[in-house]
C-alpha cells in the first residue's frame, strides 16, 4: 500500500513538475471533468424523460481531452468545437471565467442553451450543437462533421496576419478526419505554418462505423506525415498526458513552427445520440473503457498520492451537484425566447445610412450625365476598389487561387501583390472549401477577408463552409459574432467554355439566410458595391460577370460606396418594367432601344443586389407600367427572378395588367458551341419578344 | 355529427332565396322528408325537407331574410347540440360562395341558351374598375387577343362616364347614393349636382311624409323588384317600335269550336285560342327566323328552334314560362305543356329553368277586353307579340258590310336589330295563318318553303 502510494506520488509529481502545474490546478481539472460528467448525465436524464427535445451528443467519457487540452491554452487563445461540444464549451468557459459567480453563470448559460432558453449562450437559437462564446475565444461548435477545421485554419491565419501570438485549438472527431476539409485544412495550415493545434478525439466510432472500417491506418496521427507536421498519439483518458502533449504543440505553434496533429484515444459512454442503441459495440468493451474512466482514475491517483483528501473529494462532488442544480433551476426558470426574436440576428446591422443612399443617388445621376468623368474598365474598377479598401483598412486581405502574381483568372487583382505583398494577396492551393471556411474563421477572428473563388461554378465546393458556417453562425450564436467576408467570384456565359465555367448560380446563394448576394453590371456599380461589401459586416457573395471585365464606363475618382440593396433604374420607361441584373442589363438596354423604335417604352431596372433586394423600386415601376418582364442568365427553373415575381405578386398584384413573364436560360447545362449557347442564354430577340408579348 | 340543412341550388341562375316561412319549430324532432321551411327564388317557391332524422336546430335566420344558396340554415342532430356552421352567412363573400359552390356551379350553357362567359380581367384592371365604380360586365376587353380586360379598357370605359369630383363622390357616399344610380347627363359631376339630387329626393320624401292618403305602403322588393329591374333594362336597352294589324278570326273561331267538339272529352281539355295562336306564331317564326332571336351587347343570335315564352299573370306577379322546342310539339302536346307550366307558375312550383331561355314571347290580354297594347320586350329577346280580344266587328267582307270576329295583333320589336318592313312581313304571316289556319298544318312542318 505504502509502496503504491509512493509510486503514484512520484508519477504524478513528475507530470506536474514537467508541466509546471500546481495541486490547485489539478483539483480544477478534476472539478471541471466532474462538472462535465454531471451535466451530461443530467442531460441524458432530461432526454430520456422527454423534458429535453432536440439532439444532444454527450461528451461523457471524453472529459480528459477537453479539460487537458484547454488547460494548455492561454486565456486569449481560441478554440473551435464540434457537435459533441459540451465538454469543450465547459472547459473553455470555466477557464476564462474568473470568479465563482462567473463560473456558475457560465454553467447556467450552457444549460439554458441546451434547453433552448433565452438566457442561453446563443439566446436559444443554437442549442446543444452550436454553443459559442466568440468574445472569449470560443468560435463555436458546428453540426457539420469536419465543418470547423477550415474555420480554425482561418482563425489561425488571422493570428498570423495580425502578428499576434495566439493559438487556435481545433477539436474534431475521428469521423471528421475522413472529410475533404481535414485534408485541405491541414495542408493549408502546415503550408503556412499557422498557429493551430488539431486535436482529433478518436472515440473509435463515427456514429456506428468503427475506425477500422473507415481507415487503413491504425492511428489518425500518422496522417500528419502527409502534411509534414508532427503527429502524436496520446491516452485520451489521462488529463495530464493530454495537457502535456497539447502544451508542447501549443508552444510550437506560438513560436511560428506550425501545426501539430494530436490524436487522443478515448471513448464516449453514451451512444452517438440519444436514439443510438449502441448495437455496434459490446458490453465488455464499454466495461473496459469505464474502468479507465478519466475522472475516477485521476481521483484515485490523487487520493493515493495524498494530493486529495477523501473529505475534499466529497466536498468537490457536493459542490458540483449543487452547481448543477442551480444551473438546472436557472434554466427551468428562464424564459423562452420571444417569438419575435425569430427574425433578429440574421444579419449584422447595415453600415450605411439613408444619407449614403441619397448621396449615391445624386452621384449616379452625375455619372450618367457628366461626360468629363473618366472611363475605366470593370476589371480596373475592381482593382481600384480592392486597392482603396486595403489601403484604408489593414484588416482587408485577398486570398484565393492565382490571385497573386497572376492577378486572378480575369485580371481583377492584377498588380495588387506588388503593393501589398504576398501576405495580403495570398495565393492558395486549389482548396475551395478551405478558402471559404478560412475566410469565415479569419472574419470571425477580426479580419476582413476578400476570398476569390475563380468561377461561380466552383462555389458549390465551398458551400458548406460559406453557407452552413459563414452565413448562419451569427444567427446560431445568438447575434454574438459577425462574419465580415466577401467571396468574389464570377459567372455567366459568353466564352464558349461550357457548363463547368459558364453558369449563373446566384440562386444557390440567395437561398441561404445570412448572406448577401451582389451582382453588378457596370464599372461604376462594381467599384462602389465592392467597397460597400468589404465594409459591410455580413458575408457577401459578390458575383461578377466574365464578359463584363473589359466593358468600360464612367467611374468617378472620388472615394464612394453604393449602399447594398439599392436598385438602379438604368433606363426610364412607361410601358414595361424590365427587371434584370449583371450582364443581362446590357442586353436589356439594347432590347429597349429596339423596342423604342416600335413605340414600346421600356423601363430597365438593374437590381444590382439580389440580397438585400430593393423590391420597392420594382413595385413603384410596376405601379406605373402594370407589366413585368424579368430577365436572368440563370437556369429558368427556380431562378432568382422567380423570387422577384413572387414578391411582386404579393406586393403589387393589383397593379399588374398582364401575367408576368420571365426570360431565363433554358433548363440545360450551358453548352459549348456558340450556336447552342445562344439558344440557351437569353438573347436580345427573346427579350424583345417577351416585352411585346406582355403588351399584347 | 349533426347533419347540415342548406339551401340547395335550384337552377342555373338562382343565386339567392328569401325565407318565406319556417315550417318546423326550433328544437322539434324531425323525420327525413318533413318540411322544414319554404323559400322563394326570383320566380318560384320551394320547400326544403329534412335530410335525416333528429332534433332541428335552426340557424339565426328569420322570415324575409335573403340568403345566398348553399347557406346552411339549420342542423339536425342531438338534443344537446346547437346550430353551428362553418359557413355562417356573414362569411359569405361572393368569392367564397362561388368557390364553395363549384364544381356544380360551373356554368354549362344549355345548347340552345347561351350564357355569358366568366369575365377575365387583369388585377390592375379590376383595381381601377373598382376604384372608378365601373362594372366589369360593361367593359369590352382588348387584352390577350380580346379575352382579357386590361387597364386601358377600363379607362376607355371611364372616359365615357361622367367624371366625379372627389367632393361630389364623398357627399354621395355619405348620403348613401350609389354612383351608378345617379343619371346626371354631364361630363363632370360636382358637389352642386349631388346636392340638387339630394334636395329633390328630400322634397319627395317630405311630401310623402305629409301625405297620409295612401292605402298601403310597400317597398318594391322581391319578385316585384326583379320584374321592375328586368323591364327597366329592356326599356333602356331596346329601341321599341309597335306595329298593329287586324286579322279576321272567323276561321280560327270555327277551327277552335270544331276541335272542342271533337277532342274535349278525348283529351280532357280543348285547345284554347292561345294554344292555336302559339303554334301559328311558332310557324311564322320558323319562316322568319330573324324574329326568333336574342341579343347581347354587340351580338344577335338567331335560333332554329323556337323557345316560346307565354306571359302568365299570377298572384306573385307576371311570369313568362318557356315552351322549349315549340316547333317540335303537336298541338296537343303544346297545349298540355302550356297548361302544366301555367299551373306550376301560379302555384309557385315552377323550376327557374323553365322561366328562361325564351326566343320570342306572346302575351294575351284578350280576356280583359283589351284590343291593342304595347308590351315590353322580354329582353334579351328582340320582339314580343300582344294578342287582343277576339270580338265581332263590323267589317267590309266580299264588298258587303259584315259582322265578323276580328283580333288585333300588336308586335313590338327592337328596331336596332330588325327593320320595319321585315317585322311587318312577319306580322302579315301571322295574320295569313290566323285567317286560314289550315295552312299551318302544312307550313308548321316546313313543307312549303
Amino acid at each position: 500500500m505504502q509502496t503504491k502510494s509512493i509510486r503514484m506520488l512520484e508519477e504524478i509529481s513528475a507530470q506536474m513538475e514537467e508541466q509546471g502545474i500546481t495541486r490547485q490546478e489539478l483539483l480544477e481539472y478534476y472539478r471541471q471533468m466532474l462538472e462535465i460528467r454531471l451535466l451530461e448525465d443530467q442531460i441524458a436524464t432530461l432526454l430520456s424523460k422527454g423534458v429535453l427535445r432536440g439532439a444532444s451528443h454527450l461528451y461523457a467519457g471524453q472529459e480528459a481531452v477537453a479539460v487537458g487540452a484547454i488547460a494548455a491554452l492561454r486565456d486569449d487563445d481560441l478554440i473551435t468545437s464540434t457537435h459533441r461540444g459540451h465538454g469543450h464549451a465547459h472547459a473553455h468557459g470555466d477557464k476564462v471565467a474568473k470568479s465563482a459567480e462567473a463560473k456558475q453563470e457560465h454553467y447556467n448559460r450552457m444549460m439554458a442553451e441546451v434547453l433552448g432558453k433565452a438566457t442561453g449562450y446563443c439566446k436559444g437559437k443554437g442549442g446543444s450543437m452550436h454553443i459559442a462564446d466568440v468574445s472569449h475565444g470560443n468560435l463555436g461548435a458546428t453540426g457539420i462533421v469536419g465543418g470547423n477545421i477550415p474555420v480554425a485554419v482561418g482563425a489561425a491565419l488571422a493570428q498570423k496576419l495580425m502578428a499576434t501570438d495566439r493559438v487556435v485549438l481545433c477539436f474534431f472527431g475521428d469521423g471528421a478526419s475522413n472529410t475533404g476539409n481535414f485534408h485541405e485544412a491541414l495542408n493549408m495550415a502546415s503550408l503556412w505554418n499557422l498557429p493551430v493545434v488539431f486535436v482529433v478525439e478518436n472515440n473509435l466510432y463515427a456514429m456506428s462505423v468503427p475506425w477500422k472500417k473507415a481507415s487503413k491506418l491504425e492511428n489518425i496521427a500518422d496522417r500528419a506525415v502527409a502534411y509534414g507536421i508532427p503527429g502524436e498519439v496520446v491516452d485520451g483518458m489521462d488529463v495530464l498526458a493530454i495537457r502535456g502533449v497539447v502544451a508542447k504543440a501549443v508552444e510550437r505553434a506560438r513560436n511560428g513552427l506550425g501545426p501539430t496533429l494530436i490524436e487522443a484515444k478515448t471513448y464516449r459512454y453514451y451512444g452517438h445520440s440519444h436514439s443510438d442503441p449502441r448495437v455496434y459495440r459490446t458490453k465488455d468493451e464499454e466495461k473496459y473503457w469505464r474502468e479507465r474512466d478519466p475522472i475516477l482514475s485521476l481521483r484515485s491517483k490523487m487520493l493515493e498520492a495524498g494530493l486529495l483528501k477523501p473529505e475534499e473529494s466529497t466536498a468537490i462532488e457536493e459542490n458540483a451537484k449543487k452547481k448543477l442544480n442551480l444551473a438546472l433551476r436557472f434554466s427551468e426558470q428562464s424564459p423562452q425566447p420571444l417569438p419575435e426574436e425569430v427574425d433578429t440576428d440574421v444579419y449584422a446591422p447595415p453600415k450605411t445610412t439613408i444619407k449614403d443612399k441619397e448621396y449615391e443617388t445624386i452621384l449616379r445621376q452625375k455619372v450618367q450625365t457628366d461626360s468629363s468623368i473618366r472611363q475605366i474598365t470593370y476589371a480596373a474598377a475592381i482593382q481600384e476598389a480592392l486597392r482603396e479598401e486595403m489601403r484604408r483598412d489593414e484588416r482587408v486581405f485577398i486570398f484565393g487561387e492565382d490571385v497573386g502574381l497572376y492577378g486572378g483568372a480575369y485580371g481583377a487583382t492584377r498588380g495588387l501583390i506588388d503593393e501589398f505583398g504576398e501576405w495580403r494577396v495570398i495565393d492558395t492551393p486549389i482548396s475551395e472549401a478551405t478558402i471559404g471556411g478560412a475566410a469565415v474563421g479569419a472574419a470571425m477572428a477580426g479580419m476582413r477577408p476578400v476570398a476569390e473563388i475563380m468561377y461561380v461554378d466552383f462555389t458549390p465546393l465551398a458551400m458548406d463552409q460559406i453557407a452552413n458556417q459563414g452565413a448562419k453562425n451569427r444567427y446560431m450564436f445568438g447575434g454574438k459574432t459577425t462574419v465580415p467576408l466577401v467571396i468574389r467570384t464570377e459567372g455567366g456565359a459568353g466564352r464558349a467554355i461550357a457548363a463547368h465555367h459558364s453558369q449563373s448560380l446566384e440562386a444557390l446563394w440567395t437561398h441561404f439566410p445570412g448572406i448577401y448576394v451582389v451582382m453588378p453590371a457596370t464599372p461604376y456599380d462594381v467599384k462602389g458595391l465592392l467597397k460597400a461589401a468589404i465594409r459591410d459586416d455580413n458575408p457577401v457573395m459578390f458575383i461578377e460577370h466574365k464578359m463584363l471585365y473589359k466593358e468600360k464606363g464612367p467611374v468617378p475618382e472620388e472615394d464612394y460606396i453604393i449602399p447594398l440593396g439599392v436598385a438602379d433604374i438604368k433606363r426610364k420607361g412607361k410601358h414595361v418594367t424590365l427587371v434584370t441584373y449583371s450582364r443581362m442589363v446590357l442586353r436589356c438596354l439594347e432590347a429597349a432601344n429596339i423596342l423604342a423604335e416600335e413605340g414600346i417604352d421600356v423601363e430597365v431596372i438593374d437590381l444590382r443586389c439580389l440580397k438585400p433586394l430593393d423590391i420597392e423600386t420594382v413595385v413603384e415601376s410596376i405601379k406605373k407600367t402594370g407589366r413585368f418582364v424579368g430577365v436572368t442568365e440563370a437556369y429558368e427553373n427556380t431562378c432568382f427572378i422567380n423570387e422577384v415575381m413572387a414578391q411582386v405578386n404579393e406586393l403589387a398584384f393589383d397593379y399588374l395588367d398582364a401575367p408576368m413573364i420571365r426570360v431565363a436560360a433554358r433548363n440545360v447545362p450551358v453548352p459549348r458551341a456558340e450556336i447552342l449557347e445562344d439558344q440557351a442564354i437569353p438573347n436580345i430577340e427573346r427579350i424583345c419578344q417577351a416585352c411585346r408579348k406582355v403588351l399584347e | 355529427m349533426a347533419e347540415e340543412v342548406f339551401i340547395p341550388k335550384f337552377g342555373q341562375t338562382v343565386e339567392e332565396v328569401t325565407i318565406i316561412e319556417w315550417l318546423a319549430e326550433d328544437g322539434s324532432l324531425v323525420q327525413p322528408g318533413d318540411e322544414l321551411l319554404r323559400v322563394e327564388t326570383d320566380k318560384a317557391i320551394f320547400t326544403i325537407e329534412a335530410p335525416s332524422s333528429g332534433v332541428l336546430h335552426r340557424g339565426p335566420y328569420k322570415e324575409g331574410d335573403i340568403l345566398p344558396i348553399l347557406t346552411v340554415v339549420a342542423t339536425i342532430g342531438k338534443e344537446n347540440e346547437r346550430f353551428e356552421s362553418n359557413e355562417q352567412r356573414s362569411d359569405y363573400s361572393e368569392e367564397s360562395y362561388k368557390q364553395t359552390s363549384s364544381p356544380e356551379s360551373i356554368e354549362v350553357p344549355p345548347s340552345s341558351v347561351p350564357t355569358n362567359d366568366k369575365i377575365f380581367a387583369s388585377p390592375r384592371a379590376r383595381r381601377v374598375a373598382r376604384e372608378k365604380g365601373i362594372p366589369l360586365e360593361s367593359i369590352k376587353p382588348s387584352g390577350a387577343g380580346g379575352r382579357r380586360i386590361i387597364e386601358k379598357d377600363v379607362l376607355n370605359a371611364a372616359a365615357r362616364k361622367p367624371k366625379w369630383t372627389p367632393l361630389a363622390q364623398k357627399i354621395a357616399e355619405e348620403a348613401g347614393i350609389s354612383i351608378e344610380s345617379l343619371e346626371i347627363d354631364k361630363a363632370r359631376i360636382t358637389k352642386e349636382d349631388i346636392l340638387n339630387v339630394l334636395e329633390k329626393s328630400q322634397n319627395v320624401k317630405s311630401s310623402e311624409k305629409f301625405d297620409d292618403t295612401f292605402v298601403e305602403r310597400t317597398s318594391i322588393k322581391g319578385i316585384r323588384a326583379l320584374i321592375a329591374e328586368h323591364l327597366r333594362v329592356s326599356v333602356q336597352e331596346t329601341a321599341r317600335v309597335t306595329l298593329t294589324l287586324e286579322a279576321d278570326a272567323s276561321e280560327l273561331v270555327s277551327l277552335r269550336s270544331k276541335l272542342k267538339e271533337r277532342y274535349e272529352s278525348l283529351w280532357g281539355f280543348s285547345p284554347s285560342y292561345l294554344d292555336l295562336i302559339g303554334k301559328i306564331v311558332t310557324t311564322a317564326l320558323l319562316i322568319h327566323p330573324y324574329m326568333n332571336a336574342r341579343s347581347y351587347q354587340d351580338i344577335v343570335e338567331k335560333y332554329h328552334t323556337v323557345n316560346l315564352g307565354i306571359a302568365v299573370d299570377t298572384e306573385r306577379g307576371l311570369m313568362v314560362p318557356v315552351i322549349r322546342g315549340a316547333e317540335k310539339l303537336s298541338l296537343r302536346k303544346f297545349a298540355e305543356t302550356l297548361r302544366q307550366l301555367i299551373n306550376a307558375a301560379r302555384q309557385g312550383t315552377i323550376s327557374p329553368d323553365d322561366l328562361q331561355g325564351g326566343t320570342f314571347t306572346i302575351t294575351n290580354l284578350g280576356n280583359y277586353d283589351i284590343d291593342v297594347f304595347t308590351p315590353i320586350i322580354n329582353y334579351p329577346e328582340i320582339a314580343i307579340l300582344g294578342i287582343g280580344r277576339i270580338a265581332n266587328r263590323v267589317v267590309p267582307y266580299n264588298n258587303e258590310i259584315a259582322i265578323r270576329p276580328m283580333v288585333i295583333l300588336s308586335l313590338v320589336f327592337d328596331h336596332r336589330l330588325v327593320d320595319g318592313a321585315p317585322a311587318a312581313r312577319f306580322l302579315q304571316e301571322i295574320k295569313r295563318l290566323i285567317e286560314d289556319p289550315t295552312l299551318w298544318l302544312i307550313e308548321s312542318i316546313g313543307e312549303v318553303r
Side-chain angles (χ1 to χ4, degrees), chain B residues 78-216:
Chain B
K78 299 199 183 82
E79 195 171 357
N80 55 0
E81 288 173 340
R82 289 168 58 195
F83 174 78
E84 224 173 311
S85 164
N86 304 331
E87 317 218 331
Q88 293 292 345
R89 198 191 151 212
S90 56
D91 294 341
Y92 252 99
S93 71
E94 197 176 340
E95 287 307 306
S96 66
Y97 141 59
K98 274 182 181 155
Q99 276 161 14
T100 50
S101 62
S102 68
E104 299 94 296
S105 74
I106 292 171
E107 300 267 331
V108 182
S111 57
S112 61
V113 184
T115 50
N116 282 338
D117 281 330
K118 175 176 161 35
I119 296 171
F120 292 103
S122 78
R124 190 181 183 95
R126 283 181 192 275
R127 180 179 58 83
V128 175
R130 199 165 56 233
E131 283 167 8
K132 297 194 179 293
I134 301 174
L136 290 174
E137 295 77 12
S138 69
I139 303 172
K140 192 171 179 316
S142 77
R147 278 194 311 117
R148 187 187 301 125
I149 298 169
I150 58 176
E151 184 192 25
K152 190 178 73 187
D153 306 328
V154 184
L155 295 177
N156 285 344
R160 289 197 295 271
K161 291 195 78 173
K163 285 208 165 47
W164 286 60
T165 66
L167 190 58
Q169 223 165 340
K170 190 152 188 283
I171 296 171
E173 264 169 35
E174 279 170 6
I177 300 175
S178 82
I179 291 175
E180 292 80 45
S181 73
L182 276 181
E183 287 177 2
I184 301 175
D185 193 17
K186 279 177 72 178
R188 189 176 160 81
I189 295 174
T190 61
K191 182 180 82 174
E192 281 69 34
D193 296 320
I194 305 300
L195 292 178
N196 280 341
V197 171
L198 280 174
E199 208 173 314
K200 267 186 219 157
S201 71
Q202 268 156 9
N203 286 346
V204 172
K205 273 182 197 156
S206 54
S207 67
E208 274 175 3
K209 206 179 266 176
F210 296 112
D211 179 4
D212 54 2
T213 56
F214 59 81
V215 179
E216 191 193 341

Side-chain angles (χ1 to χ4, degrees), chain A residues 436-458:
Chain A
V440 172
M444 287 174 71
M447 295 295 285
R448 302 188 83 86
V450 180
E452 179 170 327
I453 303 280
M454 198 180 285
Y455 285 82
V456 78
D457 315 69
F458 310 161

Side-chain angles (χ1 to χ4, degrees), chain A residues 390-592:
Chain A
M390 288 173 83
R391 284 181 186 162
R392 195 184 62 83
D393 184 345
E394 60 181 16
R395 295 171 301 173
V396 179
F397 71 102
I398 295 169
F399 78 136
E401 295 155 16
D402 306 288
V403 295
L405 187 62
Y406 197 83
Y410 290 91
T413 57
R414 197 162 294 157
L416 294 175
I417 195 168
D418 300 333
E419 177 173 348
F420 299 101
E422 62 177 15
W423 284 107
R424 287 190 74 193
V425 184
I426 307 171
D427 276 324
T428 64
I430 298 185
S431 303
E432 276 81 9
T434 295
I435 294 170
V440 172
M444 287 174 71
M447 295 295 285
R448 302 188 83 86
V450 180
E452 179 170 327
I453 303 280
M454 198 180 285
Y455 285 82
V456 78
D457 315 69
F458 310 161
T459 60
L461 291 163
M463 186 168 273
D464 164 60
Q465 290 295 302
I466 299 167
N468 267 333
Q469 322 293 338
K472 295 179 197 161
N473 274 0
R474 180 179 176 82
Y475 188 84
M476 293 193 301
F477 300 166
K480 291 172 189 164
T481 188
T482 54
V483 192
L485 66 86
V486 176
I487 305 287
R488 272 190 54 244
T489 186
E490 58 76 37
R495 288 195 54 227
I497 44 179
H500 286 171
H501 295 79
S502 304
Q503 300 174 99
S504 296
L505 299 182
E506 56 274 15
L508 297 185
W509 292 101
T510 54
H511 190 63
F512 291 100
I515 184 167
Y516 289 152
V517 179
V518 180
M519 296 189 72
T522 66
Y524 166 79
D525 289 338
V526 80
K527 182 174 178 186
L529 286 166
L530 182 53
K531 284 161 71 80
I534 292 170
R535 293 185 201 181
D536 194 88
D537 278 340
N538 292 289
V540 178
M541 181 59 66
F542 196 89
I543 309 176
E544 297 150 17
H545 195 292
K546 60 174 65 65
M547 299 307 285
L548 293 176
Y549 286 113
K550 290 177 184 160
E551 291 287 330
K552 278 194 168 181
V555 177
E557 289 182 57
E558 64 174 281
D559 175 18
Y560 70 96
I561 59 162
I562 299 174
L564 302 181
V566 183
D568 178 27
I569 300 172
K570 287 278 194 285
R571 181 191 196 281
K572 283 212 176 288
K574 53 183 186 294
H575 294 147
V576 180
T577 298
L578 195 52
V579 175
T580 187
Y581 53 90
S582 194
R583 186 195 187 194
M584 285 296 135
V585 171
L586 308 193
R587 291 205 168 163
C588 287
L589 288 170
E590 284 187 57

Side-chain angles (χ1 to χ4, degrees), chain A residues 179-451:
Chain A
T179 65
N181 281 345
F182 171 87
H183 299 283
E184 284 190 11
L186 264 70
N187 179 57
M188 209 179 275
S190 62
L191 176 70
W192 296 331
N193 284 335
L194 297 183
V196 54
V197 175
F198 299 106
V199 176
V200 52
E201 297 180 73
N202 186 353
N203 62 18
L204 309 188
Y205 297 92
M207 267 189 80
S208 68
V209 177
W211 172 250
K212 55 177 171 285
K213 280 181 108 174
S215 172
K216 197 157 189 169
L217 293 176
E218 190 187 340
N219 297 321
I220 299 166
D222 294 348
R223 289 183 172 167
V225 176
Y227 312 109
I229 57 173
E232 302 272 354
V233 177
V234 65
D235 178 3
M237 309 306 265
D238 183 343
V239 68
L240 281 177
I242 294 157
R243 194 196 169 284
V245 172
V246 173
K248 263 188 241 165
V250 166
E251 193 58 22
R252 182 182 146 82
R254 215 184 290 291
N255 291 329
L257 299 175
T260 305
L261 175 62
I262 296 166
E263 176 183 7
K265 306 270 192 195
T266 183
Y267 203 72
R268 60 167 148 82
Y269 290 172
Y270 292 100
H272 165 75
S273 65
H274 182 59
S275 54
D276 175 4
R278 316 204 294 281
V279 291
Y280 44 83
R281 64 194 200 188
T282 62
K283 290 269 181 273
D284 284 348
E285 182 184 291
E286 291 184 359
K287 189 162 167 272
Y288 166 79
W289 284 95
R290 277 195 184 265
E291 279 168 1
R292 307 189 58 237
D293 184 89
I295 300 169
L296 293 179
S297 61
L298 178 64
R299 180 165 164 270
S300 61
K301 265 191 212 171
M302 288 175 76
L303 283 170
E304 286 288 340
L307 293 169
L308 180 69
K309 292 181 190 125
E311 57 270 29
E312 274 180 320
S313 166
T314 315
I316 290 171
E317 279 162 38
E318 288 309 311
N319 276 336
K321 279 181 194 160
K322 220 180 282 172
K323 198 168 165 181
L324 178 74
N325 285 334
L326 284 174
L328 193 58
R329 204 178 319 147
F330 171 83
S331 302
E332 283 167 355
Q333 288 170 356
S334 288
Q336 307 273 2
L338 296 172
E340 49 268 35
E341 277 286 306
V342 69
D343 286 330
T344 61
D345 303 326
V346 182
Y347 296 98
K351 290 284 194 65
T352 49
T353 63
I354 300 279
K355 274 199 168 154
D356 294 314
K357 277 192 189 179
E358 289 167 355
Y359 181 80
E360 197 272 324
T361 309
I362 295 163
L363 183 65
R364 209 189 312 157
Q365 283 160 2
K366 195 176 144 200
V367 168
Q368 282 159 4
T369 51
D370 185 350
S371 59
S372 70
I373 294 176
R374 68 183 175 137
Q375 302 259 332
I376 62 171
T377 65
Y378 190 87
I382 294 168
Q383 279 170 29
E384 279 192 4
L386 290 168
R387 182 173 286 116
E388 286 172 20
E389 291 308 300
M390 288 173 83
R391 284 181 186 162
R392 195 184 62 83
D393 184 345
E394 60 181 16
R395 295 171 301 173
V396 179
F397 71 102
I398 295 169
F399 78 136
E401 295 155 16
D402 306 288
V403 295
L405 187 62
Y406 197 83
Y410 290 91
T413 57
R414 197 162 294 157
L416 294 175
I417 195 168
D418 300 333
E419 177 173 348
F420 299 101
E422 62 177 15
W423 284 107
R424 287 190 74 193
V425 184
I426 307 171
D427 276 324
T428 64
I430 298 185
S431 303
E432 276 81 9
T434 295
I435 294 170
V440 172
M444 287 174 71
M447 295 295 285
R448 302 188 83 86
V450 180

Side-chain angles (χ1 to χ4, degrees), chain A residues 97-114:
Chain A
K98 290 305 165 200
S99 65
E101 292 76 38
K103 286 179 193 289
Q104 178 73 52
E105 194 196 332
H106 147 74
Y107 208 49
N108 291 350
R109 292 173 71 196
M110 229 171 50
M111 180 63 105
E113 187 57 40
V114 172

